[in-house]
Amino acid sequence: MDTASRVVPLLGGYAGTISFAFPHNLPAIMVFAIATVSLLGSWFHDSVHRSVRLPAGVDFLLARLGASPVGFSPRWWAYKHVRLHHRYPGNPEFDPDIQFGRLGRVSSAQGWQPLHLTQHVHMWLLLPFSTLNMLKPAEPRLVRRYNHLPGITITVPGWVFLLDKYVGALVVWLPVFLTQSLRGATATFLVFHLCAGTLVSFVTQVQHNTALSDDSDDYSARWPLCDQVLRTTDVGRRQGVWWWLCGGVNFHIAHHLAPSLTFLELPAVTARLRADLREIGLDLPVHRDMITAVRSHASLVRSLARRPCDNSPHSPGHPAR
């Protein structure tokens, strides 16, 4: 039933995207994009973690249904997401989810750049372009870069990752360009990615980069599991609309503590974890709802936009809070 709730609107939106010319296919494009993000956060995400308890063929199909429209490579995400982001959440050297370079600073451990002064404005304008940005052929360069990091070895050639993402994207988007005018197909492609990119950005940013998550730059003073909890946040406590839209990863702390669990198991595990912590007087960092989480992200981005002073809480090398 959960799979159907995501796959049916995805296929229906895709059919409408192809069947109607732009701009009459706008409602279908939106449904297609929203369902794709929902599938990315759920079955694609679990497939990358190898936590899916489905036949291999079904697992492969669901992962490709989510990844192909946006041009994600499941093979690359197994390195990028599982081996880097999950092992080093919030670490500016290893975690690719916070590496925005000169465009954005979301951790006090990241060096400040003059362009960061306006990040509380320009980062919001760039969010919709996140999935389009991932389409660029950056994997060969990133493979060389990450292979120079201690403890990281990527044995797959970079061109394999490019083939892995571009073939799927071509299968999805070639019919659109064959059945519509070049202008209409291009507009359809862009609208889809702007919608999907906005949603993907919100989903990923509120899971780690908010004022509620720990922003210290000390990566050695705590046990690794403590970092997984303190550098991660949950969004909401129930399985509502946002739970479906983000693919269940709003229960993100339990996911980082036990990534082998499926997204369907996370709500119950989170409730048990919260109850156990309350027995010793602790609680999980939880945003009340998505709006609160976005505001918290905005607060963090605004505070880190300012040029850090020596010994300030947001200057690199400042002692951990």
Side-chain angles (χ1 to χ4, degrees):
M1 289 179 62
D2 181 89
T3 305
S5 75
R6 304 173 198 276
V7 172
V8 170
L10 185 150
L11 295 178
Y14 180 62
T17 298
I18 294 178
S19 302
F20 300 98
F22 188 84
H24 303 292
N25 60 357
L26 274 174
I29 297 172
M30 301 296 284
V31 172
F32 182 31
I34 292 171
T36 297
V37 173
S38 175
L39 197 59
L40 280 174
S42 54
W43 295 107
F44 168 80
H45 185 226
D46 277 10
S47 177
V48 168
H49 280 283
R50 301 187 183 277
S51 60
V52 177
R53 289 160 192 153
L54 294 172
V58 178
D59 172 22
F60 176 84
L61 179 61
L62 290 177
R64 291 294 171 177
L65 281 175
S68 296
V70 289
F72 285 4
S73 165
R75 289 185 178 185
W76 175 240
W77 277 71
Y79 286 97
K80 172 184 181 292
H81 180 75
V82 178
R83 295 186 60 183
L84 289 169
H85 167 68
H86 264 265
R87 288 173 65 182
Y88 309 101
N91 188 317
E93 184 179 9
F94 291 90
D95 186 357
D97 283 9
I98 67 169
Q99 293 171 349
F100 303 110
R102 297 179 181 274
L103 294 177
R105 181 173 181 251
V106 292
S107 169
S108 61
Q110 294 174 296
W112 184 86
Q113 301 285 343
L115 193 57
H116 294 159
L117 278 172
T118 60
Q119 69 175 18
H120 58 292
V121 176
H122 71 246
M123 281 189 70
W124 298 100
L125 302 177
L126 296 175
L127 290 182
F129 298 93
S130 62
T131 54
L132 280 172
N133 179 61
M134 293 181 192
L135 278 174
K136 69 181 186 293
E139 284 79 1
R141 174 180 59 82
L142 292 174
V143 167
R144 292 192 297 271
R145 172 188 171 188
Y146 289 136
N147 271 334
H148 284 89
L149 297 176
I152 304 297
T153 303
I154 303 177
T155 57
V156 180
W159 64 266
V160 173
F161 298 125
L162 295 182
L163 192 66
D164 196 40
K165 75 176 182 179
Y166 287 144
V167 169
L170 187 64
V171 170
V172 171
W173 290 105
L174 185 59
V176 177
F177 281 85
L178 291 177
T179 57
Q180 300 188 25
S181 66
L182 179 60
R183 178 178 296 180
T186 302
T188 296
F189 179 81
L190 291 176
V191 169
F192 169 86
H193 271 282
L194 292 177
C195 178
T198 300
L199 292 175
V200 165
S201 296
F202 281 139
V203 169
T204 55
Q205 293 307 306
V206 300
Q207 292 168 357
H208 294 281
N209 304 325
T210 70
L212 190 58
S213 56
D214 187 285
D215 189 37
S216 66
D217 55 5
D218 190 342
Y219 296 93
S220 60
R222 294 190 294 250
W223 291 99
L225 286 182
C226 292
D227 269 342
Q228 299 290 346
V229 173
L230 296 174
R231 299 189 189 279
T232 311
T233 58
D234 286 356
V235 180
R237 301 174 185 265
R238 296 178 295 177
Q239 294 173 255
V241 174
W242 180 246
W243 177 85
W244 179 88
L245 182 60
C246 73
V249 290
N250 58 315
F251 295 101
H252 210 61
I253 297 173
H255 167 63
H256 264 259
L257 289 174
S260 60
L261 295 174
T262 68
F263 71 96
L264 295 171
E265 297 171 299
L266 294 179
V269 172
T270 299
R272 179 177 176 179
L273 176 62
R274 185 175 293 118
D276 289 343
L277 287 176
R278 283 175 178 169
E279 292 183 0
I280 57 174
L282 300 175
D283 201 356
L284 298 177
V286 183
H287 297 287
R288 184 177 68 251
D289 49 40
M290 183 56 185
I291 295 177
T292 305
V294 172
R295 288 176 176 171
S296 183
H297 172 67
S299 175
L300 176 70
V301 171
R302 188 181 303 110
S303 67
L304 291 174
R306 296 188 292 268
R307 183 185 183 93
C309 301
D310 291 339
N311 298 321
S312 73
H314 298 303
S315 60
H318 184 269
R321 293 193 302 273

